[in-house]
Amino acid sequence: MFSTTEMPSPSSLFTAFASITASIMFFQSMLNQILPKQVRDYLISFVQNLFKAHTPMLTFVFNEDNELGGRNQIYYAAGVYLETLLRGPPKTKRLNVSKSPKEIKGLIFRLEDGETVTDLYDDGIELQWRFVCSKPEKGNSNDNSEKRYYELSFHNKYEDKVSNSYIQFVLDRAKAISEEKRVLKMHTLDNSYKGIGWKSINLDHPATFETLAMDQKKKDDIINDLNRFVRRKELYKKVGRAWKRGYLLFGPPGTGKSSLVAAMANHLKFDIYDLQLANVIRDSDLRRLLLATGNRSILVIEDIDCSVNLSDRIHGEEEKKLDPNNHDKNSIAGTFLTLSGLLNFIDGLWSSCGDERIIIFTTNHKERLDPALLRPGRMDMHIYMGYCTYEAFKQLASNYLEISGDHNLYGEIQSLLGETEVTPAQVAEEFLKHENADSALEEFAKLLRKRKMEGSDECDAKTDEKKWQVC
């Protein structure tokens, strides 16, 4: 043991430490002044390589931009994926926390400069992520941009597994997370001085297949058809078909056609483009609008039977009304929006300009549609949106009145729904008038009884009219 007389005093230790620190700083300053930056960087790299030669660790670096100046897909995927690792118990000392106005599902977590987080992959492979933000040196006027990148460090024996499997896993997970969090858009037509184009707002429609007032079997059929469509990219490519799907929604007004479109968009995470043909004058305008739509989107053309008079159906005097100075039918057909122009975009060559497209026509009168619109390959699935069934009624009662089980009026209502015609929109409107479930169901039952009586009186009146005509 050393005696206290042999130990140096604290002041002596502090003086020695200060002297050594000052010497190091002086030496570093002299090196910075004497040696060019390139030489200093080479020496630092040489020393680092000496240490790396004796370590089993390997590091991948993912810069924010690639060598061509574009976005590095892996860098941005890493940022999205690492957010899932940063939630829950703290795994690092400092986090960058933010919230975007468009972000609906909570806060956004990012690593701060120099912080690390560890990930485990494939039952035991430990990988360490580190975020680095390298700022330019002061006085260097040639480089004013900071460089951001991620470092991924792991044991070098896992190089093949990380290169061929883990990085693709991060890309796939980031894509799935981004799609889940994506804010859907509703695009509508906008006429400006630059011509007709799209403008968008956030799609906040709450309709889902869980809340949709529709028979369960019909909902299951639609969901299965949608899921089958989105997973068949390779099949569509193999058989040489455009990756698109057409749906025709037909039935009386107020039967939930718009709600079904919103439920399909929320299920697939697709944007909606609401194409109002009455505002489109020429085939060239239609071509430009459809080319401007994005992938993973739903194009909706509502009330196709009455939204516009397509000019290649028009003959004789009506042509002259459209263009009294031009009597050439071919010229008119080339000037205005035509049925053939619309069909060409549905399943012609132009239909292949994009992937994962869904086209939906809605109509109240299917019988009025041109047969050319209805053939297979254009409208692949025809969905009848009819009057409210008992199963749809129970779904509406659950949504609006929060009734999960049966009610003593359900038996009568089920019988009345089989004898009267009422739309889901009318049921919802009746429920919104009441705050109490019992009173809402009682008043709805009264409405159905009244409609049943009115229907009987109408039938009697028609019978009497026929008897009078016979007499």
Side-chain angles (χ1 to χ4, degrees), residues 159-174:
E159 180 179 0
D160 289 341
K161 176 79 75 172
V162 173
S163 300
N164 301 322
S165 177
Y166 179 71
I167 293 178
Q168 187 59 50
F169 163 77
V170 171
L171 289 169
D172 293 340
R173 284 288 298 130

Side-chain angles (χ1 to χ4, degrees), residues 58-69:
L58 180 63
T59 299
F60 287 171
V61 177
F62 307 112
N63 293 308
E64 182 177 13
D65 300 321
N66 58 35
E67 295 180 354
L68 300 177

Side-chain angles (χ1 to χ4, degrees), residues 192-208:
S192 65
Y193 69 94
K194 295 182 179 179
I196 191 169
W198 297 108
K199 67 177 180 180
S200 66
I201 58 174
N202 289 349
L203 178 63
D204 296 323
H205 202 296
T208 64

